[in-house]
Amino acid sequence: MLKTGKVLLAIAASFSLVLSGCGFQANSGSNMKLSDEQVLRIAEEGGITTLDTVKANDAITFNVLNNVNEGLMRLGREKQPEYGIAYEYELSPDKTKYTFKLREDAKWSDGEPVTAQDFEYAWKRVLNPQTDSGYAYVFFPIKNAKQYNQGQVDASAVGIKAVDDHTLEVQLEKPTLNFIQRTTMIAFMPQRKDVVEKFGGKYGTSAEETIYNGPFKVASWTPQKVLLKKNENYWDKNGVKLETVEINVVKDLATGINLYNSGEIDTATLNQAFVDAFKNTEEYVEAERARNYYILFNHDDPFFKNEKIRKAINLAIDRGTIANDIMKGGSKPADALIPSSISGVGGKNFRELSGSYVKTDVARAQALFQEGLTELGMSEPPKDIVMVSYDATPLRDVAINIKEQLRKKLNLEIKLDSPTWKTHVNKVKNRNFDMAMLGWVADYNDPFNFFEIWESDNEMNFSHYNNPKFDQLMDQARQTSDPKAQFELLKQAEALLTGVDDQGSAGFVPLIYYSKAFVQKSYVKDLYRHPFGPEYSLKWAYIVEKNEE
């Protein structure tokens, strides 16, 4: 995510994470007395961009939508898909047809029933080429989904069919082992046709012009705060303890810590200045994410089309300083694409099996940079390069550090553009950048999550990276159901995309594998933080009496 989700066979059937600490169960206290005030106050580093599940494509927005909507399946407390609006499903003997049975007591926030037609409508709306959804490609395992998205067939030809109000049939092109995992994604959530058509282009632009079927509903939404209220029409409302959730936008993490210490919020993200102070306290929480941060190059820009320029920038950057001195909180220097929290084969994670492809080598970086300039007929680098970066700490500090590193090591002067998150997303989507910092989090435990966005025809390929050999390797990986063979193909693809040697193309600049550190009041219980997909689920969280901590 920006967020993401991906297609086709997973490397491993297992959903379990390789590293401990991925996903955190907050201090469960089942025998403690509930507080009379079930109000949770949290902080996010940016605002949401939409309430339309079809158009959402960033992590913070996903966090909210995950708690006000629900798909057929949801990511559970054990980091595996569990039933949501569906209560069972059947898979055909040839493993190409899923039949989902929906709960008859599932309702929307206005009391109307959630039906199979709502899922058929929403999924086909994602695929409709007029919608221009960035997540259409995650539905492509479904029969004729890609063809519909490309305008080759009518919507009626797509393998998504509401048999009756409570039965949904999904016909796949071929067996897809991670299809159930995929149904936990935001894009797979239902929508009401009558409501979407009623509000038209305004749907999802305000709390009042949206409808919800999850544990909570959005009561209000401003740039400073999103206020959630318990959805009394939710099918499992008795399992939801919280009555109110305040999601405060706090871009400066030091401000968040001050709000936490003064008792104005109940959990806050820690930055580099505070990790050490809280690390040994009971309120410290560290949650690893299947997430990386990196720098995109605009491959349509002649300067960044030059492979030696890209490799030089990769080799010049000291990622250890970024991870250990700026980010802290458990983040690690990124030496490739796939984080260590994603599974590989044979019970090992992808990263340890594949190795590393990038490390700092300033002397080689300087030599390659000069060679690249010569190939471009330039005596010095351009002075007007702008990198779209973040407007909140600590990522804002990372951008400043990168700017200084490139100036000192390559004599490359770049300017920083640090807009609001919504503008940041729009600039990246519209390719209005020379360089751009971005993060990507897996929607589920599958390395394809990270690879597909670099394919030449993928809508999430914001940098316009285009390498026919990479595309070929991805196609071959899709065609095999042998996990070992698939891993070897993906390993080659990663080396090509990421590598700075003669065989690599240095298509982007990996920076860090992200872990996030928090402080959380001990009276907050069962706030589950996930390693992939949306960051947290509020459904099971509750507040105990402070004297019961």
Side-chain angles (χ1 to χ4, degrees), residues 148-165:
Y148 173 50
N149 182 247
Q150 296 179 346
Q152 299 171 7
V153 300
D154 186 77
S156 60
V158 180
I160 306 166
K161 181 181 179 182
V163 178
D164 56 44
D165 284 353

Side-chain angles (χ1 to χ4, degrees), residues 256-277:
I257 299 302
N258 288 336
L259 292 171
Y260 179 84
N261 285 334
S262 63
E264 296 179 64
I265 57 177
D266 303 308
T267 181
T269 305
L270 292 173
N271 66 6
Q272 66 274 30
F274 294 96
V275 167
D276 293 338

Side-chain angles (χ1 to χ4, degrees), residues 383-430:
K383 302 292 186 183
D384 58 350
I385 294 174
V386 177
M387 183 171 76
V388 177
S389 60
Y390 292 87
D391 65 341
T393 57
L395 291 169
R396 180 175 58 197
D397 299 330
V398 171
I400 294 170
N401 180 269
I402 291 168
K403 171 184 169 74
E404 187 64 10
Q405 287 200 50
L406 295 180
R407 183 188 68 80
K408 288 182 176 180
K409 298 173 183 178
L410 299 179
N411 194 31
L412 175 60
E413 298 277 359
I414 65 172
K415 300 179 177 67
L416 300 181
D417 178 13
S418 304
T420 62
W421 176 237
K422 185 173 184 177
T423 302
H424 184 138
V425 171
N426 287 333
K427 282 178 176 283
V428 172
K429 287 177 62 178
N430 296 322

Side-chain angles (χ1 to χ4, degrees), residues 533-544:
E535 190 172 300
Y536 51 82
S537 288
L538 301 167
K539 175 176 178 175
W540 304 287
Y542 59 97
I543 309 296
V544 298

Side-chain angles (χ1 to χ4, degrees), residues 70 83-87 101-106 114 166 235:
E70 188 167 88
Y83 289 117
I85 299 301
Y87 67 87
K101 292 292 186 179
L102 278 61
R103 303 178 189 278
E104 294 189 11
D105 58 347
V114 178
H166 300 105
W235 69 270

Side-chain angles (χ1 to χ4, degrees), residues 21-41:
C22 297
F24 179 84
Q25 177 179 347
N27 305 321
S28 181
S30 57
N31 295 322
M32 297 181 179
K33 183 180 178 181
L34 288 176
S35 170
D36 291 336
E37 293 189 10
Q38 290 298 310
V39 179
L40 176 65
R41 303 161 300 169

Side-chain angles (χ1 to χ4, degrees), residues 239-263:
V240 180
K241 301 293 192 298
L242 293 175
E243 295 289 340
T244 302
V245 181
E246 298 177 6
I247 304 175
N248 302 276
V249 177
V250 183
K251 296 180 180 180
D252 183 76
L253 297 190
T255 300
I257 299 302
N258 288 336
L259 292 171
Y260 179 84
N261 285 334
S262 63

